[in-house]
Amino acid sequence: FYQDVLGMEVSTVHDSPRGRHVFVKPGLTTTWGFHFFEMVDTPSPDPETLRTISFAPTLHFAIAIANEAAALRLRETLLTHGIAVTDINTMGPVRNILFRDNNGLLLEAAWSAGEG
């Protein structure tokens, strides 16, 4: 998902007796940003639950993007992959779209409202 849909750099998947883990670079940086663990025998989320996007307070990651044009391209890519995504929201000086990754984690792509 992070590599194929979002275009981020992803490390080799590392296997261990307890599960797998992988590093993801969420932008132009020399360090890895996200570190995901997949544990053995952990139940997968219900697919119908993943289709609902809520604005209730919840753990999520925000990813900075350049501007609204980039957001519209990302939104179209997500929709093309069958991923539910919100319309563009404005919250003061920030605009965003929200969507869930392949594991149900809520992601926010955000940019300055002045970057149209």
Side-chain angles (χ1 to χ4, degrees), residues 31-95:
T31 60
W32 295 100
F34 301 143
H35 189 187
F36 292 100
F37 288 94
E38 179 182 68
M39 304 306 287
V40 174
D41 298 326
T42 302
S44 297
D46 172 21
E48 278 307 308
T49 304
L50 300 182
R51 297 189 188 284
T52 304
I53 295 179
S54 171
F55 287 94
T58 184
L59 170 68
H60 76 284
F61 289 114
I63 303 165
I65 58 176
N67 53 38
E68 191 161 316
L72 292 171
R73 286 190 302 275
L74 173 58
R75 189 172 190 283
E76 185 60 34
T77 297
L78 293 167
L79 292 171
T80 298
H81 282 86
I83 298 165
V85 59
T86 64
D87 291 332
I88 293 175
N89 306 295
T90 303
M91 299 180 312
V94 175
R95 299 194 84 193

Side-chain angles (χ1 to χ4, degrees), residues 1 13 18 25 43 48 56 68 79 85 92 104 108 113:
F1 176 86
V13 176
R18 296 188 57 210
K25 283 187 182 181
E48 278 307 308
E68 191 161 316
L79 292 171
V85 59
E108 171 187 3

